[in-house]
Amino acid sequence: MQKCGVIGVGFVGATCAYTLAVSGLFSEVVLVDMNQKKAEGEAADINHGVSFAKPCFVRAGKYADLAECGLIIIAAGANQKPGETRIELLNRNRVILSSIMEQLTAVNKNAVLLIVSNPVDVLTCMAQQLSGLPAGHVIGSGTVLDTARLKYLVGQKLGVDSRNVHAFIIGEHGDSELAVWSSANISGVDLDDYCRITGVTDPTAMLHQIYENVRDAAYSIIESKGATYYGIGMAVRRIAEAIVRDEHSVLPVSSMIQGHYGVDGICLGLPSIVGKNGVEAVLDIPLSADELGRLQSSAQKMKALIKQLH
């Protein structure tokens, strides 16, 4: 666990490498990319600032250099071409992921794999099938970032530290995700009660607006600056921290779901206990009837998408 690998060093992968290198969690971070010079440049750039943080050696490498890594981040994938359908993009990314898994499992079958590439839930399913690793060892970043966005916006609206907002976004990391408002609270105070105390006259409308802003956040950021990478970089650092320190923290990562909420055989973001072996348990937090229906609908959409792949 002292050594981490990052496969794919585009905007997201490079930012993940940076946050992990300065986190103090690892003594070595290995960057692997089809463009070796890009990996070398990113490694050099990060190394030049390491003296301001904890000691960590960042270097470009090959798949063989990932043999001793306890955690491997997969951020590689193709970008959508103009006019290309989601299915066409997914099929291209499946080919890329298949190549990655073949080369990776040839040198390391013990690491925890953290999938960050989008669509993360579908690619996590594929990585699970291709790797043959235990289900808990292959996880996706899921709705960890979405949940952080939710906490931030609720905190801003209600004038409270976002760390004291306890609520989850669950389901697909995408358009069918949902906010679990029924059990949300501010440090133990029911969210509806807190809204009333702070003078919010129409909490339903306010919370729905917050949910829509969370769901559409990536579209808004991409329209403004072309890509999102800082938020997911920090989310990956948080997940890595839970794994390396064996925290048993509850995070809504994506993993293979079997029998929770009536869902089977699909990867979705659900609150899970995360430790040194990846996902140790998926939690069945209370959901309202509407939330349960929306979660099951999200799962069906993911299954339908996977069935279209060839």
Side-chain angles (χ1 to χ4, degrees):
M1 279 300 177
Q2 298 302 306
K3 186 174 177 181
C4 177
V6 179
I7 300 175
V9 290
F11 280 127
V12 171
T15 306
C16 289
Y18 167 75
T19 62
L20 295 171
V22 301
S23 68
L25 293 169
F26 301 100
S27 58
E28 185 176 352
V29 177
V30 181
L31 311 184
V32 175
D33 195 278
M34 288 179 64
N35 185 340
Q36 181 74 6
K37 285 192 70 66
K38 174 78 160 61
E40 290 170 358
E42 296 291 359
D45 197 10
I46 297 170
N47 276 327
H48 295 164
V50 162
S51 64
F52 301 121
K54 296 287 193 294
C56 180
F57 178 48
V58 184
R59 66 186 178 98
K62 304 290 187 183
Y63 279 91
D65 299 305
L66 301 176
E68 296 177 348
C69 292
L71 175 66
I72 297 172
I73 316 296
I74 298 178
N79 294 319
Q80 198 159 6
K81 297 177 180 177
E84 185 177 37
T85 67
R86 193 181 189 193
I87 294 300
E88 289 169 340
L89 174 63
L90 262 175
N91 276 312
R92 284 204 296 135
N93 274 328
R94 182 168 65 169
V95 172
I96 293 170
L97 189 63
S98 179
S99 173
I100 289 171
M101 285 298 129
E102 183 178 353
Q103 296 175 82
L104 179 56
T105 54
V107 298
N108 190 331
K109 292 183 179 178
N110 299 309
V112 172
L113 306 186
L114 175 53
I115 315 301
V116 183
S117 308
N118 278 320
V120 67
D121 303 292
V122 175
L123 293 181
T124 302
C125 284
M126 291 181 184
Q128 170 70 64
Q129 294 161 358
L130 292 166
S131 69
L133 294 174
H137 281 221
V138 182
I139 65 178
S141 52
T143 52
V144 173
L145 175 56
D146 310 81
T147 294
R149 288 167 172 161
L150 183 77
K151 292 182 177 184
Y152 168 77
L153 291 174
V154 170
Q156 287 287 298
K157 206 71 174 176
L158 297 180
V160 66
D161 188 338
S162 61
R163 293 172 298 180
N164 297 131
V165 177
H166 303 290
F168 288 108
I169 293 283
I170 63 173
E172 174 199 13
H173 172 59
D175 294 342
S176 69
E177 66 187 28
L178 62 134
V180 183
W181 295 125
S182 62
S183 59
N185 67 85
I186 309 295
S187 286
V189 179
D190 182 81
L191 184 57
D192 285 340
D193 290 340
Y194 196 93
C195 287
R196 188 175 62 256
I197 292 167
T198 53
V200 177
T201 55
D202 190 355
T204 301
M206 182 196 78
L207 296 177
H208 185 69
Q209 182 63 60
I210 288 174
Y211 160 72
E212 289 186 335
N213 289 343
V214 170
R215 183 195 61 198
D216 300 336
Y219 299 127
S220 175
I221 294 170
I222 290 168
E223 184 180 346
S224 299
K225 56 174 276 189
T228 70
Y229 37 91
Y230 294 128
I232 188 60
M234 289 186 278
V236 164
R237 185 209 60 79
R238 178 67 192 97
I239 299 167
E241 184 177 46
I243 294 169
V244 172
R245 293 180 175 167
D246 195 22
E247 289 182 346
H248 312 292
S249 291
V250 177
L251 297 168
V253 294
S254 183
S255 66
M256 185 61 70
I257 305 303
Q258 300 289 2
H260 296 273
Y261 303 106
V263 174
D264 276 299
I266 191 72
C267 291
L268 288 174
L270 288 174
S272 306
I273 298 175
V274 180
K276 65 181 180 181
N277 294 314
V279 169
E280 298 172 354
V282 177
L283 304 181
D284 290 88
I285 62 170
L287 301 180
S288 68
D290 176 65
E291 290 163 351
L292 177 59
R294 292 180 63 196
L295 176 63
Q296 291 174 340
S297 174
S298 182
Q300 288 305 316
K301 287 179 181 177
M302 290 294 95
K303 283 190 173 184
L305 190 60
I306 290 173
K307 280 183 180 178
Q308 292 179 60
L309 298 173
H310 54 78

